[in-house]
């Protein structure tokens, strides 16, 4: 059986290429609304961050997503992203997804 190609994405924090399933996409719409794109299919400018809480914390400390998405992000958004990534990582470890 032919093996399927695994889509890779580059993290804006580490610059590392990883499978899309191990990343979370953050998007900015044309209206300037920034949101967490759990499906990976929302329209707009996207930036990928690894599903590692340490990497999200690093993005928060350096405000990397602000620069990449050209938007001013609040601490509440970064906290929501950190909570989401922490939850997803725990879920992945628990269920082995």
């Amino acid at each position: 059986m032919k093996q399927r190609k695994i889509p890779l994405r580059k993290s804006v924090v580490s610059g590392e290429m990883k499978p899309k399933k191990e990343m979370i996409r953050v998007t900015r719409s044309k209206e300037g609304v920034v949101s967490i794109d759990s499906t990976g299919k929302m329209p707009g400018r996207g930036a990928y961050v690894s599903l590692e809480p340490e990497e999200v914390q690093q993005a928060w400390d350096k405000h990397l997503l602000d620069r990449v998405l050209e938007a001013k992000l609040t601490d509440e958004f970064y906290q929501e992203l950190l909570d989401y990534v922490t939850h997803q990582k725990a879920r992945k470890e628990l269920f082995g997804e």
Side-chain angles (χ1 to χ4, degrees):
M1 190 165 87
K2 189 176 177 184
Q3 211 171 12
R4 294 183 65 159
K5 185 178 175 188
I6 299 171
L8 297 175
R9 298 293 181 263
K10 188 175 186 176
S11 170
V12 295
V13 179
S14 66
E16 221 179 317
M17 295 291 282
K18 289 187 175 182
K20 188 177 176 182
K21 287 186 174 188
E22 295 177 17
M23 307 285 272
I24 184 66
R25 184 171 185 247
V26 179
T27 58
R28 182 196 48 151
S29 68
K30 287 184 179 182
E31 294 79 32
V33 179
V34 178
S35 58
I36 298 170
D37 180 6
S38 58
T39 63
K41 297 178 182 181
M42 287 175 69
R45 174 103 175 125
Y48 287 87
V49 180
S50 181
L51 281 175
E52 296 293 329
E54 301 83 28
E55 200 165 298
V56 174
Q57 187 64 52
Q58 199 175 3
W60 188 356
D61 294 342
K62 297 178 181 178
H63 288 278
L64 290 173
L65 291 173
D66 295 46
R67 284 185 292 217
V68 172
L69 296 173
E70 298 171 353
K72 180 71 179 130
L73 302 178
T74 63
D75 285 342
E76 288 81 22
F77 177 81
Y78 278 108
Q79 186 62 54
E80 181 185 343
L81 181 60
L82 185 61
D83 294 343
Y84 180 83
V85 167
T86 305
H87 174 76
Q88 289 299 321
K89 183 172 180 171
R91 190 169 169 242
K92 195 173 217 175
E93 288 172 358
L94 186 63
F95 296 111
E97 293 177 351

